[in-house]
Amino acid sequence: MNFDLTQEQEMIRRTIREFADEEVAPGAIERDRTKEFPVEIFRQLADMGMMGLPFEEKYGGAGADTISFAIVTEELSRACASTGITYSAHISLGGAPLNLFGTEEQKEKYLTPICTGESFGAFGLTEPNAGSDAGGTQTTAKTEGDDFVINGGKVFITNASYAKNLALTAITGEQDGKKEISAIIVPTDAEGFKVIDNYEKMGLNASNTTELVMENVRVPQENLLGKRGNGFRQFLVTLDGGRIGIGAMAVGIAQAAFDRALRYSKERKQFGKSLSEFQVNQFKLADMALKIELARNMVYKAAWLKDQGRPFSKEAAMCKLYASEIAMEVADEAIQLHGGYGYMKEYEVERYMRDAKLLEIGEGTSEVQHMVIARHIGV
Ligand SMILES: Cc1cc2nc3c(=O)[nH]c(=O)nc-3n(C[C@H](O)[C@H](O)[C@H](O)COP(=O)(O)OP(=O)(O)OC[C@H]3O[C@@H](n4cnc5c(N)ncnc54)[C@H](O)[C@@H]3O)c2cc1C
């Protein structure tokens, strides 16, 4: 067993950490306030070759592994979780299904612009009446000649305003009396396709979360992604990988909250002593560090299993569940250690808590992760 990062992973960590500290962190409070999408940061990430990090070089990717993806997501989220979720969804929800299930032609056409950063990656699964029960999809794609004609709607879709194409699920027919759900690649500028960007969110304010409306959107049948009727299964596989991204985001936010809490507790004096001299606060900080260490190990383990081509679904659910819950706990404790100042935006810790909450909800709620784990342990 070897817990050391490889030279390449170390180099990626050094590069992205420096970038996160110098370019991403400084504007995070302002972007949280203005809700401005970090376009310039992503232009720079594209120049650094990060936008297609785990995909093959022939599509413009960098051919790196999942651990490297987790490291980049963690470091970006430590500086600004809105940037982190944009990146994580771009790679693991936007690029990954194309990479896993696309034909050679589809990859060249749709994955390449994602890798170069020309287009953002996005993924349309959730609907108003199909969230945790994603199989409850009501969007339909009827076959008409050589085309699919799509009608329906999606909610809470990350990055769609900045995506040129995205894969979404729709009912394409019936199989043995059950809905046949397929994945279809849809250009976002197709006639009848509307992207609405007007959610008022609790956090992750600089990330793009959208509603999609499809009214008689016509796409050629060659835009089917993977096998007809396999859409639901494909999206479950995609979500397994996405959960590593959410776990990594959670570790990044928790690390940021811990770093702030440690620094502040050494600086702030009450009763003639720094807060860190009180044993109760030392224990709080020790618990925070312990939780982050365990969460990071679990994220890396899930990523490592994926890189080995081994089953990782249970570990991805475990890392997502544990890391997202400790991110909330650590952010909450960081606010507590800051006292009244923690309640003020300037100290950043309140943003960490607002941003972290999404991680217990997106890509399968904590309850859904428990269901996945229960299934794997034979309950
Ligand atoms: C900011 C943001 C970004 C997102 N990005 C995307 C995206 O890019 N693409 C995409 O497709 N989706 C995206 N989502 C959607 C997200 O994945 C869903 O919100 C999530 O899966 C939960 O679905 P729901 O909101 O319909 O909640 P529901 O499924 O209605 O759940 C409500 C509550 O009921 C619980 N519950 C549901 N079923 C059960 C059960 N069987 N047993 C016990 N408890 C249960 C849930 O755990 C939850 O606590 C995003 C959401 C947000 C908020």
Side-chain angles (χ1 to χ4, degrees):
M1 191 177 295
N2 180 0
F3 282 100
D4 285 327
L5 297 180
T6 63
Q7 259 183 356
E8 192 192 346
Q9 291 160 351
E10 272 295 356
M11 196 191 69
I12 289 174
R13 185 197 294 282
R14 244 194 332 270
T15 309
I16 197 70
R17 186 170 280 178
E18 198 179 302
F19 177 76
D21 286 338
E22 288 175 9
E23 306 292 335
V24 184
I29 293 181
E30 184 61 6
R31 286 191 299 274
D32 177 55
R33 195 177 62 75
T34 61
K35 306 184 166 107
E36 189 186 336
F37 188 76
V39 174
E40 177 53 25
I41 288 173
F42 281 97
R43 201 196 50 71
Q44 288 174 267
L45 284 169
D47 288 346
M48 291 162 75
M50 295 290 177
M51 296 303 272
L53 189 72
F55 305 121
E56 283 177 74
E57 288 169 22
K58 65 175 167 172
Y59 307 118
D65 57 13
T66 313
I67 294 180
S68 301
F69 158 69
I71 289 170
V72 173
T73 305
E74 176 188 330
E75 291 296 330
L76 292 175
S77 304
R78 184 177 58 78
C80 165
S82 289
T83 304
I85 192 174
T86 304
Y87 181 77
S88 185
H90 168 80
I91 299 274
S92 66
L93 300 184
L98 296 168
N99 187 48
L100 284 169
F101 310 113
T103 61
E104 197 54 37
E105 212 181 332
Q106 287 173 334
K107 289 190 205 181
E108 273 169 26
K109 192 164 168 191
Y110 302 113
L111 183 59
T112 305
I114 285 180
C115 291
T116 57
E118 228 176 293
S119 171
F120 279 79
F123 155 99
L125 178 67
T126 307
E127 297 188 6
N129 295 314
S132 300
D133 179 16
T137 299
Q138 292 172 332
T139 295
T140 56
K142 294 218 166 88
T143 311
E144 269 187 33
D146 291 338
D147 295 337
F148 285 120
V149 178
I150 307 171
N151 280 286
K154 300 280 172 184
V155 290
F156 310 143
I157 307 306
T158 304
N159 290 345
S161 302
Y162 299 90
K164 293 199 159 115
N165 302 278
L166 55 82
L168 53 78
T169 45
I171 304 167
T172 45
E174 243 187 52
Q175 267 176 0
D176 312 322
K178 283 192 187 154
K179 281 179 195 169
E180 177 195 79
I181 298 176
S182 304
I184 301 170
I185 305 167
V186 184
T188 52
D189 63 358
E191 212 182 311
F193 192 100
K194 214 173 351 164
V195 180
I196 304 165
D197 168 18
N198 62 5
Y199 288 117
E200 292 277 339
K201 290 180 291 188
M202 171 183 180
L204 298 172
N205 282 336
S207 71
N208 175 247
T209 313
T210 64
E211 193 181 336
L212 310 181
V213 180
M214 281 86 68
E215 281 173 2
N216 294 320
V217 176
R218 192 172 278 275
V219 297
Q221 282 199 44
E222 68 192 28
N223 280 26
L224 181 74
L225 179 65
K227 278 206 193 97
R228 194 172 173 132
N230 268 12
F232 186 60
R233 197 195 59 79
Q234 287 170 15
F235 276 101
L236 291 182
V237 172
T238 302
L239 284 175
D240 282 342
R243 285 170 187 155
I244 295 175
I246 298 282
M249 275 189 72
V251 172
I253 296 175
Q255 184 68 52
F258 171 80
D259 291 346
R260 296 245 163 209
L262 179 64
R263 195 172 75 198
Y264 186 79
S265 65
K266 286 183 180 169
E267 286 165 8
R268 173 73 170 169
K269 287 205 162 59
Q270 288 292 283
F271 301 97
K273 284 179 172 179
S274 65
L275 297 180
S276 60
E277 285 176 79
F278 299 108
Q279 195 181 44
V280 64
N281 294 331
Q282 293 173 2
F283 281 19
K284 281 183 182 186
L285 288 159
D287 271 341
M288 291 158 87
L290 166 68
K291 288 172 182 174
I292 295 168
E293 181 73 18
L294 293 177
R296 185 178 286 115
N297 279 329
M298 199 63 221
V299 171
Y300 285 5
K301 181 173 180 192
W304 179 83
L305 285 169
K306 181 169 185 284
D307 286 334
Q308 303 304 309
R310 306 219 322 235
F312 67 97
S313 176
K314 179 183 76 180
E315 288 76 8
M318 284 178 166
C319 88
K320 196 270 189 190
L321 172 62
Y322 184 71
S324 61
E325 297 203 334
I326 70 102
M328 278 299 284
E329 291 162 17
V330 171
D332 187 17
E333 203 65 276
I335 295 173
Q336 195 65 20
L337 274 163
H338 278 73
Y341 295 98
Y343 206 67
M344 302 298 143
K345 298 211 167 196
E346 183 191 345
Y347 285 79
E348 306 216 46
V349 283
E350 64 82 40
R351 186 181 87 243
Y352 300 148
M353 193 160 116
R354 286 186 287 110
D355 288 351
K357 184 61 200 170
L358 180 270
L359 309 179
E360 295 181 327
I361 297 169
E363 301 200 30
T365 61
S366 289
E367 291 74 19
V368 166
Q369 305 312 317
H370 279 103
M371 289 183 216
V372 173
I373 296 165
R375 231 180 359 251
H376 278 284
I377 60 174
V379 176

